[in-house]
Amino acid sequence: MIKLAERICLLGLVASVAVLTLTALPVLWGSHLMGNTLLVHMMASGVLVFVLPALAVLWLMRTFCIGEAVGSASQLENIGFWATVVTGLLAIVTVFVCMLPVASTESMHLLVSIHAYAGFAMVPAVLLFIFGAIRLRRTKSMRSTTPG
Amino acid sequence: MLTSPFLRCFFPSRSVSCSKRRFPAKKLPFVIFQSVAFVCVAVGISTDGDAADSRFSRADSDTRMMHHIDLYDYDNKKITAESETPYSPLMTCGRCHDYETISHGWHFNAFLPGTNDGRRGEPWIWTEPRTGTQLPLSYRDSKGLFNPNDLGVSPWEMTHQFGGRIPGGGVAANQTPAVGEEDNGEEDNGEENNEESVAAVDDPRSERWKLSGVLQIDCMVCHASPSVYDFNARRDAIDDENFAWSATAGLRLGTIDGNVSRIKDGSDPDDEAIQAKLPKVTYDARRFSPDGTVFMDLIRHPSNNACFQCHSQRTVDEHGIESRWIHDQDVHLRAGMQCSDCHRNGIDHNIVRGFEGESDQYDDPSVRVAMDTLTCVGCHIGPEHIGPEHIGPEHIGPEHIGNDQEVELSIRETAIPSRAGRLGSPMPEHAGLPAVHFERLACTACHSGPISRGEAIGMMTSFAHGLGVKEHRSGQELPRIIAPVYGLDDDGKIYPQRAVWPAFWGTVVDGALTPIDPSMIYDLTRKSLRVRKGFVEELVTPQLSRTELKEVLGEERSSVREHEWTDEEATKVAAAQKVAGEKLFNEKVAATLVGLQDTLEAEQAVYVSSGFIYRLAADGESLEKMDANELKNSEAVEMVSWPLAHSVRPAGWSLGVGGCLECHSDGSVIFDSTLQSVGPGPDQTPAITMAEVRGTSANQVLLWNQLFGGRKLFKFLIAGSIGVLCVTLLIGIGTLASNLVNRRNNVT
């Protein structure tokens, strides 16, 4: 059950990060996020803020309660996971502060810049996490199918 | 007898009288050359403002210059208390001030060749209440506006119609560009203009210049001390066709006897009998000092009072003109500022209009910086588009040289003259307002204009409605202008705008609609329309007769006064008026169109109002509406709008202060407030939302509104998400720390 939930969350994470990255690409060329692009970006962010903490809880449960971590594949997944959490947290916090009536325009520009860097940094982090997770599954499945 | 000799130098019929010398007409070019040479040499041409090289001396002090000066008439003769000729601002003020350079300023240069048309502003709306005409005109090139020259409206007629709101010069001084020279970009000079002026007198009404004189730039219109200049006296003089006498009338230097308007068209200005009929000035001897000078009570920076003469506005609701006391005026003025604190100018009189991008037309970096910091953004936040001139010299790098940079500068990196805070302006925080709003909205969208009440309301302006003149106004007078209309401007941002729908009589030839010269339309339609005062009051909403009232209200109630009617009765009467009006409108307008087609031998005559085009139906007796798509120039009947900037409201009265949902929810002012076409005609287009005006789909607006509807919940979700992630991170850090400690213990 936990595995299924984790897989659904993982799928949600990959999909949301993909959409968020694609919609944010124009920023790299100096454009501003607005209109329908911003609308889709905001919708995808709703998925992210839900699946990322859910995934974190499930991952913690699997790692600490069930103790499934194995070998170097686990190391790769570990690094990917924590990098995803850190960059994701940074991306979410910066946009959250922007939503509160506290940041001035200048501060908001800074926050949005950090948000963009953190968001783009999340892409390799998620890739690492996925790659590690897949490798871990393969390792486990090889061990379970190897006789003796 | 010197009446308007300066004019006669330029407009000879058989001979020219100029300073007691008479020139035959064939010597006209020489006269022109001489006169222009006088203007250029005696007045001087200086465009670079270099005081040292200029023949114009300057005080260069902040103190007010006392002007005890001699007055000169149009013939450059000194005026004494016994003189009978009006004083000439050109000959008087132009002795010490660079009239030629000044004459290229914004207030005077609309028609000059090579002039930048600038951002669209309020057009001149030719209004003729008896014919239901409200026609937006401009010599500047702007979508939907008609060029008076194209319609056959002569400069003289424009001056007579709008001179009361023109400070003089330019078209009012009969400086008309030759056909085809409007856009040649060549530097203008007085000689060309004046030659062209002479060439432009083939219009019979233009012959009136010889009698009325011209409206030279009247410096005192703007530079007189408050309460010194009598604008209404000036307007009256212009109404009386006493153009050349208007400056004298405005300063009340004496009394003026005689009206040029009483002199018939075609009268010979050289005829002594006609000259005797021209106005004469009786100067107030008390205004002259013993040395013959006159004290001109003037100020360097025009007062708000002078600006208000042409730039006032009033809002109109369903009850009429709104009371002044419920409005706060512009927040800057309430803070003690003057219009001219932001709307400044040099000797060129290119007054800073204060919109973003205005400085692009200037090459001088210091001018660009000065102008950029006089816009809303520049003054309160800092220049929007950063150029090398805005960066402090110690921070400028090779990457900053060239085109404008889309870079963020810290306050330390910004050159001091480019920094925000000019005149102590506060820097707004806009706390919590996503920066995307600055890309999509002009400052004025949230901060300026009348507060919307769900639909655009009526507006009256000085230009269009002659505010400042003592009259009985109901607020329903033509032209019907509405505001705020939240439309897009050329830069793609949303601006609050004023809007008007053209209403005019026109002809359609080969699918192209052209308005009929509005100065002729009353004479052309008088017999068929038979309107005495107002097209709307007499044709569209006619008063019901006693018999009709009895039918609607019954015998007993038909005799009570209008203000005693119940709401139900008023509605019934209005409905009956509408029915009667439609019948009358159809009947009279159809008859008029028949008359116009016959008189003008036009293929098709039409009447345009509120976006509708009325033409004769196939039966030749009734009206039908024509589809605008049948026209090649359908924009001729569409809404004409122009951005408004004032009055600026305080921060607390801005849109969005109440949070995101103030704009991103159903019924918001900026998306869902509505507008409906208005005009003298009986029909109105269906109300459309501001989002539709901008071409935004209703579904998109709905989607955004729904997204923002759940924003509060989303904030809690994000907060929860952050909490969980923080706990996760703490656990991770704790685990890492624990592993490190364990590893260390194992090692030891």
Side-chain angles (χ1 to χ4, degrees):
Chain A
M1 189 62 187
I2 292 177
K3 279 184 182 173
L4 179 67
E6 200 180 336
R7 281 179 186 174
I8 293 171
C9 287
L10 207 57
L11 192 68
L13 177 73
V14 172
S16 60
V17 169
V19 173
L20 288 166
T21 308
L22 286 173
T23 50
L25 281 179
V27 174
L28 295 175
W29 288 277
S31 299
H32 296 275
L33 221 53
M34 54 178 72
N36 287 332
T37 318
L38 181 59
L39 196 70
V40 174
H41 191 85
M42 286 171 70
M43 285 173 166
S45 69
V47 178
L48 181 74
V49 295
F50 184 77
V51 297
L52 187 59
L55 190 70
V57 170
L58 291 169
W59 192 88
L60 286 177
M61 282 171 66
R62 179 162 59 84
T63 308
F64 293 104
C65 303
I66 306 171
E68 276 195 357
V70 182
S72 62
S74 164
Q75 287 282 358
L76 208 61
E77 192 194 10
N78 265 343
I79 294 168
F81 171 76
W82 290 113
T84 303
V85 168
V86 170
T87 53
L89 180 63
L90 204 57
I92 293 171
V93 165
T94 47
V95 89
F96 181 64
V97 177
C98 283
M99 290 171 78
L100 302 174
V102 289
S104 66
T105 306
E106 207 168 336
S107 311
M108 214 173 273
H109 277 296
L110 180 67
L111 287 167
V112 169
S113 296
I114 297 171
H115 175 76
Y117 286 123
F120 283 120
M122 208 177 165
V123 176
V126 169
L127 286 176
L128 205 62
F129 182 39
I130 300 294
F131 183 66
I134 292 169
R135 217 174 141 188
L136 178 64
R137 302 282 181 277
R138 279 190 184 166
T139 310
K140 280 168 65 182
S141 85
M142 276 175 70
R143 282 185 183 177
S144 61
T145 52
T146 305
Chain B
M1 176 66 70
L2 290 172
T3 48
S4 52
F6 182 73
L7 299 166
R8 283 185 283 126
C9 289
F10 294 97
F11 303 105
S13 51
R14 292 189 297 273
S15 61
V16 179
S17 169
C18 195
S19 297
K20 296 181 183 175
R21 293 178 63 188
R22 297 183 73 81
F23 295 93
K26 64 183 181 182
K27 287 192 176 179
L28 182 64
F30 173 72
V31 176
I32 292 167
F33 175 79
Q34 190 188 44
S35 302
V36 169
F38 174 80
V39 172
C40 296
V41 177
V43 177
I45 293 178
S46 168
T47 52
D48 59 10
D50 188 343
D53 296 337
S54 170
R55 64 165 291 273
F56 302 106
S57 53
R58 293 158 44 136
D60 290 326
S61 163
D62 291 337
T63 191
R64 195 165 147 190
M65 188 74 186
M66 294 300 282
H67 280 74
H68 287 280
I69 57 172
D70 291 323
L71 301 182
Y72 292 86
D73 68 10
Y74 281 69
D75 200 32
N76 202 25
K77 278 187 66 182
K78 185 179 168 181
I79 288 176
T80 65
E82 290 74 37
S83 300
E84 294 183 337
T85 51
Y87 99 91
S88 155
L90 169 61
M91 296 300 167
T92 304
C93 308
R95 290 185 121 69
C96 303
H97 299 281
D98 193 347
Y99 186 96
E100 174 62 19
T101 300
I102 292 166
S103 69
H104 287 71
W106 270 121
H107 280 104
F108 328 108
N109 71 1
F111 69 97
L112 290 176
T115 299
N116 185 348
D117 288 329
R119 188 174 77 159
R120 68 202 152 120
E122 182 173 356
W124 298 106
I125 304 176
W126 190 296
T127 306
E128 168 48 77
R130 295 169 298 183
T131 58
T133 299
Q134 50 178 47
L135 185 62
L137 304 172
S138 179
Y139 288 103
R140 301 186 197 275
D141 187 19
S142 190
K143 184 181 172 250
L145 302 184
F146 300 95
N147 190 314
N149 294 333
D150 297 340
L151 307 184
V153 183
S154 68
W156 187 90
E157 283 160 331
M158 285 293 285
T159 305
H160 189 224
Q161 183 81 1
F162 300 112
R165 308 286 167 180
I166 296 174
V171 72
N174 193 26
Q175 294 173 309
T176 317
V179 176
E181 285 193 8
E182 285 89 344
D183 298 310
N184 61 6
E186 288 174 10
E187 194 63 34
D188 164 59
N189 63 55
E191 185 174 354
E192 278 179 11
N193 275 336
N194 292 318
E195 281 183 2
E196 289 149 7
S197 304
V198 177
V201 294
D202 52 344
D203 183 329
R205 295 294 284 175
S206 294
E207 293 286 325
R208 303 291 291 178
W209 287 118
K210 297 174 187 173
L211 301 165
S212 63
V214 297
L215 278 187
Q216 291 179 345
I217 295 173
D218 187 352
C219 311
M220 295 299 277
V221 162
C222 298
H223 291 284
S225 292
S227 306
V228 165
Y229 197 92
D230 188 341
F231 289 87
N232 283 325
R234 179 176 187 269
R235 288 184 200 114
D236 290 343
I238 292 166
D239 283 346
D240 292 339
E241 302 182 11
N242 298 346
F243 298 168
W245 290 262
S246 63
T248 307
L251 275 180
R252 299 188 78 93
L253 291 172
T255 54
I256 294 160
D257 301 313
N259 290 341
V260 173
S261 60
R262 291 185 185 160
I263 303 174
K264 288 179 183 172
D265 279 348
S267 299
D268 181 0
D270 288 332
D271 184 337
E272 286 192 0
I274 297 299
Q275 287 186 0
K277 289 181 183 176
L278 288 172
K280 290 177 187 61
V281 184
T282 308
Y283 282 96
D284 180 353
R286 294 171 299 176
R287 303 292 293 266
F288 291 81
S289 301
D291 61 358
T293 60
V294 172
F295 173 56
M296 301 287 260
D297 189 1
L298 54 82
I299 48 180
R300 184 174 288 115
H301 298 295
S303 68
N304 293 348
N305 187 60
C307 305
F308 289 154
Q309 288 295 334
C310 300
H311 299 285
S312 288
Q313 56 186 351
R314 300 297 300 276
T315 48
V316 180
D317 64 11
E318 64 273 23
H319 304 298
I321 301 171
E322 290 189 326
S323 300
R324 193 177 275 114
W325 68 270
I326 62 171
H327 292 281
D328 282 357
Q329 214 182 30
D330 192 285
V331 69
H332 298 94
L333 301 187
R334 301 301 290 182
M337 291 176 70
Q338 298 278 310
C339 305
S340 56
D341 285 337
C342 298
H343 299 291
R344 306 179 187 189
N345 60 273
I347 188 64
D348 60 6
H349 281 60
N350 272 328
I351 294 167
V352 174
R353 296 176 68 190
F355 59 88
E356 288 156 34
E358 186 183 12
S359 67
D360 292 348
Q361 60 188 301
Y362 293 90
D363 296 325
D364 185 343
S366 62
V367 172
R368 287 167 62 96
V369 166
M371 289 184 85
D372 285 342
T373 49
L374 289 172
T375 65
C376 309
V377 175
C379 195
H380 287 280
I381 296 174
E384 191 178 38
H385 299 288
I386 306 296
E389 67 271 17
H390 298 111
I391 304 169
E394 66 276 25
H395 297 286
I396 197 161
E399 71 277 14
H400 296 128
I401 307 299
N403 296 327
D404 283 359
Q405 309 289 309
E406 285 288 338
V407 291
E408 299 290 333
L409 290 182
S410 70
I411 192 88
R412 284 187 60 205
E413 290 170 319
T414 309
I416 290 176
S418 289
R419 290 179 189 170
R422 203 164 183 177
L423 297 171
S425 61
M427 186 180 278
E429 283 220 323
H430 289 123
L433 183 71
V436 68
H437 288 81
F438 304 118
E439 304 296 327
R440 304 301 297 268
L441 298 159
C443 304
T444 49
C446 302
H447 293 280
S448 285
I451 300 165
S452 179
R453 300 113 200 239
E455 60 182 359
I457 58 170
M459 292 284 292
M460 299 185 92
T461 70
S462 295
F463 274 173
H465 299 96
L467 303 183
V469 179
K470 206 164 91 174
E471 280 177 4
H472 295 283
R473 296 183 183 84
S474 67
Q476 297 304 313
E477 288 81 5
L478 300 181
R480 304 288 297 279
I481 297 175
I482 60 166
V485 174
Y486 293 100
L488 291 177
D489 206 27
D490 296 337
D491 60 2
K493 289 184 180 179
I494 300 171
Y495 285 79
Q497 301 169 342
R498 295 192 197 109
V500 68
W501 278 261
F504 57 88
W505 301 85
T507 54
V508 178
V509 179
D510 296 332
L513 171 62
T514 309
I516 297 168
D517 181 348
S519 63
M520 291 166 53
I521 201 65
Y522 177 68
D523 289 335
L524 288 170
T525 60
R526 186 165 51 92
K527 285 180 183 167
S528 48
L529 279 180
R530 292 187 175 278
V531 171
R532 298 175 70 185
K533 284 186 175 175
F535 182 89
V536 178
E537 298 81 357
E538 292 172 48
L539 292 190
V540 180
T541 54
Q543 289 294 315
L544 298 182
S545 66
R546 178 55 65 88
T547 316
E548 288 168 325
L549 269 180
K550 277 181 188 172
E551 283 175 19
V552 175
L553 300 177
E555 179 79 34
E556 190 183 336
R557 295 292 295 172
S558 65
S559 56
V560 300
R561 293 188 176 185
E562 193 175 329
H563 67 270
E564 292 174 11
W565 291 342
T566 62
D567 288 346
E568 190 187 350
E569 286 169 340
T571 310
K572 278 183 184 175
V573 172
Q577 273 184 314
K578 190 170 187 299
V579 172
E582 280 172 2
K583 188 182 167 205
L584 203 57
F585 176 83
N586 283 331
E587 190 183 300
K588 297 278 188 183
V589 171
T592 305
L593 292 179
V594 171
L596 286 174
Q597 287 180 184
D598 290 345
T599 312
L600 302 174
E601 296 178 354
E603 182 187 330
Q604 187 173 49
V606 294
Y607 175 63
V608 173
S609 174
S610 309
F612 294 98
I613 310 162
Y614 302 91
R615 68 179 172 193
L616 282 175
D619 62 11
E621 292 179 352
S622 58
L623 284 184
E624 67 175 13
K625 288 185 186 120
M626 181 180 177
D627 188 345
N629 292 325
E630 291 180 40
L631 295 174
K632 286 178 185 168
N633 56 339
S634 58
E635 71 277 4
V637 302
E638 290 170 1
M639 178 182 86
V640 170
S641 63
W642 60 96
L644 66 85
H646 297 285
S647 297
V648 177
R649 304 191 300 271
W653 280 22
S654 306
L655 288 182
V657 160
C660 309
L661 294 180
E662 200 159 287
C663 294
H664 295 293
S665 63
D666 292 342
S668 74
V669 162
I670 213 150
F671 287 105
D672 292 335
S673 61
T674 59
L675 67 92
Q676 216 172 352
S677 67
V678 285
D683 299 296
Q684 279 185 289
T685 54
I688 58 168
T689 65
M690 299 299 170
E692 288 173 297
V693 170
R694 301 191 292 271
T696 310
S697 80
N699 285 339
Q700 195 181 20
V701 175
L702 186 67
L703 200 61
W704 273 104
N705 289 350
Q706 285 174 344
L707 204 66
F708 274 88
R711 190 176 163 92
K712 204 168 185 179
L713 186 69
F714 191 53
K715 281 183 190 172
F716 283 111
L717 181 67
I718 296 179
S721 175
I722 290 169
V724 171
L725 289 172
C726 285
V727 170
T728 305
L729 207 58
L730 282 174
I731 291 172
I733 292 168
T735 308
L736 184 68
S738 167
N739 285 345
L740 288 174
V741 170
N742 286 341
R743 198 175 289 176
R744 193 175 163 191
N745 288 343
N746 290 340
V747 170
T748 54

